[in-house]
Amino acid sequence: MNLADVATLLQKFSGVDLTATLARIESDLKGVTQEECAAALSSAGAEREALVAAATLKQLAGQINVAIHALGILLCLPHILEPGEKVEYVSLGAGNTGREFDLETNFRIAEFKFIHWQGGPESIRQNSIFKDFFQLADSESSKRKYLYVLGTEHPLRFMNGGRALESVLSRNIATNTRFRSKFGDRYQRVRDYYADYKDAVAIEDVSRWLPELIAETVEQDETGTTAGD
């Protein structure tokens, strides 16, 4: 099923406003009997083709996130690279596909996190950005180390905050093992570790180079939906 077919089938079911459409369907289904059910569902556009379209779009969503990550890195490169700097490798797919970082040049190693921070409790996003910071800081490379993000306000607030490292590391066994094997129980809070290593990794804002991602976040926030990572 191509994207045009997906869009047409979902539009047929959802209409202009999915919330309003669902409210209307809920109202229309009151009192419907078994004998009337098939006709009522057909009238509402609740057909198997629409479900297939929705499932297809859900599968594509994961690919869209990967595409955003890849395009974000690629569009940052002209702004990041310095005269005489050469790309040794760039990892654009999901994960680092066998490479340690998203980008390595003859001057730097770097990770990119195009996270849409919401400003509330965001433990999964915090865990992810701490993992990237720690892996950069822990690298034995003598090259400059960078963590590129969409705005530094939320990442720096987290890194200077008091969240327990036990909580931050609890979901990633490999990172937890690596961290504890090096530091044991020396650090209890994120801010304790960051205070000692904040100069090891530069956290830099790339939003000025990717205004489309910032605009997307603002638009989604204004509509009351949750932006993805």
Side-chain angles (χ1 to χ4, degrees):
M1 185 178 294
N2 61 45
L3 283 175
D5 292 336
V6 168
T8 298
L9 287 166
L10 288 179
Q11 181 66 30
K12 179 181 176 182
F13 173 69
S14 64
V16 177
D17 183 339
L18 178 59
T19 300
T21 297
L22 294 179
R24 175 182 55 78
I25 293 172
E26 290 170 355
S27 177
D28 290 346
L29 285 178
K30 289 181 180 179
V32 167
T33 65
Q34 181 185 35
E35 292 78 12
E36 300 165 336
C37 193
L41 295 182
S42 178
S43 176
E47 300 174 347
R48 292 194 176 277
E49 289 81 357
L51 181 59
V52 171
T56 300
L57 188 61
K58 184 176 181 180
Q59 291 174 343
L60 290 173
Q63 297 180 38
I64 290 171
N65 289 336
V66 174
I68 288 174
H69 187 73
L71 287 166
I73 293 173
L74 293 173
L75 292 174
C76 283
L77 285 180
H79 305 281
I80 291 171
L81 296 178
E82 301 172 1
E85 187 170 11
K86 297 180 180 179
V87 174
E88 295 182 355
Y89 71 76
V90 60
S91 180
L92 300 176
N96 284 324
T97 58
R99 293 161 176 163
E100 192 171 5
F101 302 106
D102 287 333
L103 172 69
E104 182 165 2
T105 74
N106 54 327
F107 289 175
R108 79 188 71 209
I109 55 176
E111 283 287 296
F112 294 78
K113 267 291 184 276
F114 304 123
I115 292 176
H116 297 308
W117 296 92
Q118 304 299 310
E122 302 179 281
S123 60
I124 294 177
R125 292 170 178 144
Q126 291 173 354
N127 297 352
S128 178
I129 207 164
F130 183 86
K131 175 181 73 69
D132 285 353
F133 182 94
F134 165 64
Q135 289 181 340
L136 283 163
D138 194 51
S139 171
E140 295 180 356
S141 174
S142 60
K143 298 175 181 179
R144 297 185 317 228
K145 302 170 181 180
Y146 292 88
L147 178 55
Y148 294 110
V149 296
L150 289 177
T152 59
E153 177 187 358
H154 294 298
L156 289 178
R157 182 183 300 164
F158 161 64
M159 297 301 290
N160 285 291
R163 189 169 167 213
L165 279 169
E166 181 180 0
S167 171
V168 173
L169 297 170
S170 63
R171 298 292 184 90
N172 191 310
I173 296 175
T175 303
N176 190 11
T177 300
R178 182 175 172 181
F179 187 90
R180 293 305 181 191
S181 66
K182 182 166 186 175
F183 299 117
D185 295 327
R186 185 189 312 175
Y187 299 109
Q188 299 299 315
R189 303 283 175 182
V190 171
R191 62 179 173 233
D192 301 332
Y193 168 77
Y194 185 63
D196 285 351
Y197 286 88
K198 62 184 178 182
D199 294 331
V201 180
I203 300 178
E204 293 200 355
D205 181 12
V206 297
S207 59
R208 64 191 181 280
W209 303 324
L210 303 172
E212 299 83 0
L213 293 183
I214 301 302
E216 177 197 9
T217 304
V218 171
E219 181 180 356
Q220 289 178 343
D221 287 348
E222 288 177 347
T223 59
T225 57
T226 301
D229 291 355

